[in-house]
Amino acid sequence: MGRVDLLLAAGSLAGGLVLYGIGTQPQVTPHPGLPPRLFLLTLAAVCVAVGLRRVAPRSSLALGSTAVLGDVLLGGSLGTLLVYTQVLYDACVYGPPRLWRWLLRVTVGLSVLGALAGVVGFGHWRGIAVGIPVVLVGVLPVLTGVSVRQHRDQSAAERDRVTAERDRAAAERDRAAAERDRAAIERDRAEQAARLAELDRRQAVGAERARMARELHDVVANHLSAVAIHATAVLSVPGLDRGQVEQALRVIRENSVQGLAEMRQMIGLLREPATDVGAVGTDVRVPGAAGTDVGAVGEPDGPAAGATRVRLAEVDRLVDRMRATGLAVRVRARGAAGPLPVNVDLAAYRIVQESLTNALKHGSGEAVLTVEQRPDRVVVLVENPVPEGAAPTGADPAGGRAGLTGPGAGLIGMRERAVLLGGRFEAGRAGDRWRVRADLPTGATGPGGGS
């Protein structure tokens, strides 16, 4: 029992005792000799039923109904009947739904039976008044309890609905927050992908600029170096006869024409579409500048054919041009010459070209070229004497011919070519000689090819 239940039971008992004290019992006297104290027993029993109203509604109703039945048999007391109305009300409010439905049917039925019995017993329609006490004690408390019960159930249902709506709104907010978080993650991913794409683009631009720098250096600088050397000789050496001047002019013209032709080839190749997808079993050809064809083996088709003429197999023509400019070149060939991948072929040729040009500019007029072809690699070695007292400046050896020292772009380009092919490159003094060695694999090549 709760505290409220105990207080209500005690209050009911106190009210019943007050009514007992003023003599409100019995309402009728079927047994005139009964002691009045018996009504206190029924009053106590119905007050105990009030205390059990919430913890045991059925037991409370059974105890209260038994007490009222005994009280009515004794003649009826007003206090017990009034407390019983509270028992009926609590049974409807706190009991199961089936209980209040059963009580409503029983009390209405007793009221009707009482009214009919009064009419029959008194032989007049006014006998219907016999059912009025049953209505007041039974039907009205039950209807009041049913009304309160329904209102309470509706309030509970409304509270549940509001709680469900609140939970649904909270779930919607959580879902919206999750969607916002997912959208933020997607935006971050998109921004990251954009940044990566921008980095890739910048790297590609940087690689392209480096490739073009190498090709421009090879095409322009090598031929212009020969032109500058012979023009300097014509201008600085007095007393040259007509034959010597004509020889220098022929070298100047040959290098100018050759350089111009290679420059035109490179510009024409850069203007062509970048890819040429071959048939099944062939590589995708991505032409590079100045005659490269990255990742393919064999001759390219179309406009790129003229731009890939420079190959290691044509190094003899290069040696002849160098000899014509005044550089004494000795050539040593080792191994069996065979077809090479285009990127390796071009890179080896450019390394030989740059090394002999440096020997012409900075050496003492002679050089030794060794080309060794192995089954899995090509080794190029160029050695030239360094003039007495000369020292390297920057990346290229200085000394030799005055005013023709360079910033080292040639060595940088040669090293890049070898590294892009997965090979090795070495350049430096070896005693009184300057030595350049490139080891280029002919199998699996690195990215970029000979470009």
Side-chain angles (χ1 to χ4, degrees):
M1 296 183 187
R3 183 179 179 182
V4 176
D5 298 334
L6 293 176
L7 290 176
L8 183 60
S12 300
L13 180 61
L17 291 175
V18 170
L19 293 176
Y20 176 82
I22 62 177
T24 58
Q25 67 282 333
Q27 302 298 318
V28 294
T29 55
H31 308 288
L34 290 177
R37 290 186 179 87
L38 292 178
F39 291 99
L40 295 177
L41 294 177
T42 58
L43 177 62
V46 78
C47 290
V48 171
V50 171
L52 297 174
R53 63 190 188 125
R54 285 194 290 189
V55 296
R58 291 188 179 92
S59 299
S60 172
L61 178 62
L63 179 60
S65 299
T66 303
V68 166
L69 180 60
D71 187 81
V72 170
L73 292 177
L74 291 175
S77 63
L78 183 59
T80 300
L81 294 176
L82 291 178
V83 174
Y84 182 66
T85 60
Q86 181 67 39
V87 173
L88 292 176
Y89 170 83
D90 292 335
C92 293
V93 172
Y94 299 110
R98 293 171 56 185
L99 184 60
W100 69 258
R101 295 189 183 95
W102 180 80
L103 282 175
L104 183 60
R105 287 194 293 268
V106 170
T107 54
V108 170
L110 290 176
S111 300
V112 173
L113 288 177
L116 292 176
V119 171
V120 172
F122 289 99
H124 194 274
W125 65 268
R126 289 194 177 106
I128 197 172
V130 176
I132 292 177
V134 181
V135 173
L136 295 176
V137 175
V139 177
L140 290 181
V142 169
L143 290 176
T144 304
V146 170
S147 176
V148 172
R149 171 68 176 264
Q150 290 178 345
H151 178 73
R152 189 190 66 178
D153 291 345
Q154 289 175 358
S155 299
E158 184 65 20
R159 285 194 301 271
D160 293 341
R161 187 187 65 79
V162 171
T163 302
E165 290 292 336
R166 190 184 305 114
D167 294 341
R168 211 163 21 246
E172 289 294 333
R173 288 194 299 270
D174 294 341
R175 194 157 40 245
E179 289 293 335
R180 288 194 299 271
D181 294 341
R182 191 156 44 245
I185 293 174
E186 292 297 331
R187 284 196 303 271
D188 292 341
R189 288 179 178 173
E191 292 175 359
Q192 185 177 9
R195 287 194 295 268
L196 291 176
E198 178 64 18
L199 289 177
D200 291 342
R201 187 191 67 79
R202 292 182 180 180
Q203 290 177 353
V205 170
E208 181 66 12
R209 293 180 66 177
R211 179 182 65 82
M212 294 182 66
R214 288 194 302 270
E215 296 303 329
L216 286 173
H217 179 274
D218 290 340
V219 172
V220 177
N222 293 327
H223 292 292
L224 291 184
S225 295
V227 171
I229 290 173
H230 286 77
T232 301
V234 171
L235 294 175
S236 60
V237 178
L240 292 177
D241 57 21
R242 181 175 179 80
Q244 293 174 325
V245 173
E246 288 179 355
Q247 176 65 25
L249 291 177
R250 277 194 295 272
V251 172
I252 291 173
R253 182 183 181 281
E254 181 180 352
N255 281 276
S256 300
V257 172
Q258 182 68 22
L260 183 59
E262 293 188 14
M263 177 67 74
R264 287 174 176 169
Q265 291 170 0
M266 183 179 70
I267 292 174
L269 185 60
L270 289 175
R271 288 176 176 172
E272 291 297 319
T275 58
D276 180 16
V277 179
V280 176
T282 62
D283 293 331
V284 176
R285 299 175 182 262
V286 182
T292 64
D293 189 13
V294 179
V297 178
E299 293 290 342
D301 299 328
T308 56
R309 293 172 183 170
V310 287
R311 301 181 183 277
L312 190 59
E314 300 177 4
V315 74
D316 291 338
R317 296 173 56 188
L318 174 64
V319 169
D320 291 339
R321 288 202 305 272
M322 289 297 175
R323 287 171 178 167
T325 60
L327 180 66
V329 184
R330 288 182 296 167
V331 180
R332 299 173 181 172
R334 299 175 182 174
L340 297 173
V342 174
N343 47 1
V344 177
D345 212 358
L346 176 65
Y349 181 91
R350 292 300 190 192
I351 291 174
V352 172
Q353 182 185 38
E354 180 64 23
S355 300
L356 293 180
T357 302
N358 287 340
L360 175 65
K361 292 166 55 179
H362 308 297
S364 59
E366 62 179 81
V368 178
L369 168 62
T370 303
V371 179
E372 180 179 358
Q373 287 191 242
R374 303 176 185 175
D376 60 342
R377 64 189 57 251
V378 174
V379 180
V380 174
L381 177 64
V382 178
E383 296 179 302
N384 63 276
V386 178
E388 190 69 24
T393 299
D396 282 334
R401 304 173 190 271
L404 295 177
T405 59
L411 289 181
I412 294 174
M414 289 189 288
R415 179 172 283 105
E416 288 178 350
R417 289 182 184 277
V419 170
L420 287 173
L421 293 171
R424 291 179 296 175
F425 178 81
E426 300 173 357
R429 279 184 177 273
D432 61 347
R433 304 177 71 81
W434 183 264
R435 184 177 185 182
V436 176
R437 185 178 187 275
D439 189 338
L440 308 177
T442 58
T445 59
S451 56

